Amino acid sequence: MLSIKRRALPLVPAYSITTHKSQGQSLSKVVIDLKLPKETDDIAAVCVPLSGVKRLSDLIILRHFDYKVLQIKPSKFQVAEIQRLDKLYTDKNFRRMINPQKRAYN
């Protein structure tokens, strides 16, 4: 008599990307872990994956998390960068209104 025993770990094929890699993408299905390390104060770690999902029904939060992560305020450096980008955008649009023949990337 031949007896064979087999143990297997059930694996499901998946794809994962970092928060920064997913920035600007629309994602069809998202599984996110909102339990962040204590020293993390990066608002992008929370906002980017949550805003990238198309429908709430396509979002799964992996485990319980502290709701304070949803209230992370941008650091002064992040606020300064947002203001810099807003100014660039405004200046570019202003230049385009003055000289509409120029292309947007000039």
Side-chain angles (χ1 to χ4, degrees):
M1 174 188 260
L2 179 62
S3 176
I4 298 175
K5 291 184 180 181
R6 185 179 106 168
R7 292 186 187 190
L9 178 64
L11 297 176
V12 176
Y15 177 76
S16 71
I17 56 177
T18 64
T19 298
H20 295 287
K21 176 75 174 178
S22 70
Q23 197 163 5
Q25 295 184 21
S26 291
L27 305 168
S28 57
K29 303 277 185 188
V30 174
V31 177
I32 181 174
D33 186 5
L34 292 175
K35 191 160 181 93
L36 303 175
K38 291 183 194 259
E39 65 276 358
T40 300
D41 63 351
D42 186 10
I43 192 169
V46 176
C47 292
V48 170
L50 290 177
S51 63
V53 68
K54 294 177 183 178
R55 296 184 308 225
L56 186 58
S57 61
D58 293 332
L59 173 69
I60 296 174
I61 298 175
L62 195 58
R63 57 184 168 164
H64 293 287
F65 63 96
D66 186 357
Y67 285 101
K68 290 179 184 174
V69 300
L70 299 176
Q71 299 171 343
I72 296 174
K73 301 222 184 301
S75 70
K76 62 182 178 182
F77 302 110
Q78 291 168 326
V79 170
E81 179 64 6
I82 290 168
Q83 290 170 346
R84 185 187 74 81
L85 292 172
D86 282 345
K87 186 173 181 341
L88 275 175
Y89 177 77
T90 303
D91 291 349
K92 186 181 279 189
N93 284 337
F94 182 72
R95 284 195 306 265
R96 222 180 297 145
M97 285 188 315
I98 292 173
N99 192 355
Q101 286 79 18
K102 282 200 166 195
R103 295 186 185 263
Y105 53 81
N106 285 343

